[in-house]
Amino acid sequence: MIEFRNPKAEIRSGEALSRHDMSDALFYIFAALTLGCGLMVIANPFSRNPVTSAMFLVLTIGSLAGLFVLLHAFFLAAVQVLVYAGAVMVLFLFVIMLLDLREEERRKINVFGVTAGSVAVAAVLFLFLQNLHAQSGRLGASAGPVTEGNTYNLGKLLFNYYLLPFEIVSVLLLVAMVGVVLLSKKDLK
């Protein structure tokens, strides 16, 4: 029996395989960079300078933008770079330099604070997992993944349905900035 092969199909399958391998490799690279730089934000063994931690946060945000590009979420990647790595990090660096933080002395760990923080994190994680488990039973066949979206629907959803959380976060950031400015003043009269 004579077999007819399509050489273009073999090339296409080889290209798809190499693209698939490349996207997997890029995913692992960006995921490792995100985890590594995120760890360096909170536990940097090389420097206790907060500016160094802020720069590692910029690298973490850039790695997350790379992950968004791999997911074909180009709008989220652009927002990640422009808003977070750009504006918010400039704001963080401004606050750090406004406070004029020097390397702090090694302080003793407050056992009550660590315990209370651990309990709070465990409670939030428990509530999250419980809610996730409850929601997984409600998802039906109609809740398929959305493969394409646009900014109009995102804006409509953000400014209609999620308007209150959006405004609460912006007020919270404003209060935090005013608090930092007030705390950084040398003498209050």
Side-chain angles (χ1 to χ4, degrees):
M1 184 174 228
I2 299 173
E3 290 184 29
F4 293 102
R5 292 185 181 179
N6 186 354
K8 291 183 180 179
E10 290 177 8
I11 292 173
R12 283 188 205 124
S13 66
E15 286 175 3
L17 183 64
S18 68
R19 274 191 235 131
H20 184 66
D21 290 341
M22 180 62 81
S23 70
D24 284 349
L26 284 174
F27 171 78
Y28 288 122
I29 289 169
F30 283 130
L33 276 173
T34 301
L35 292 175
C37 293
L39 184 65
M40 295 297 277
V41 169
I42 58 172
N44 188 353
F46 306 116
S47 173
R48 291 182 50 88
N49 192 352
V51 175
T52 307
S53 293
M55 289 298 126
F56 276 115
L57 187 58
V58 169
L59 290 174
T60 304
I61 291 169
S63 303
L64 281 174
L67 288 172
F68 283 133
V69 167
L70 288 175
L71 290 171
H72 297 284
F74 302 111
F75 176 73
L76 288 178
V79 166
Q80 192 80 7
V81 170
L82 291 175
V83 174
Y84 292 118
V88 173
M89 287 312 301
V90 167
L91 190 67
F92 281 1
L93 286 174
F94 176 71
V95 169
I96 288 170
M97 291 178 185
L98 181 70
L99 285 176
D100 193 26
L101 296 175
R102 291 179 177 74
E103 288 195 29
E104 298 180 14
E105 304 166 359
R106 297 250 180 207
R107 293 183 277 174
K108 292 182 182 178
I109 295 176
N110 185 358
V111 178
F112 174 73
V114 170
T115 306
S118 300
V119 168
V121 167
V124 167
L125 185 63
F126 173 74
L127 289 174
F128 173 73
L129 291 175
Q130 184 182 16
N131 191 15
L132 185 66
H133 180 68
Q135 293 291 332
S136 66
R138 285 192 238 165
L139 293 178
S142 64
V146 177
T147 58
E148 188 174 315
N150 58 19
T151 56
Y152 175 76
N153 291 335
L154 180 65
K156 190 173 179 181
L157 188 66
L158 180 65
F159 291 117
N160 287 336
Y161 187 71
Y162 293 109
L163 182 64
L164 184 62
F166 182 76
E167 292 299 326
I168 289 172
V169 167
S170 60
V171 169
L172 182 68
L173 287 173
L174 179 66
V175 168
M177 278 299 300
V178 170
V180 165
V181 169
L182 288 176
L183 287 175
S184 68
K185 286 190 153 191
K186 299 297 179 195
D187 50 3
L188 292 172
K189 293 181 182 179

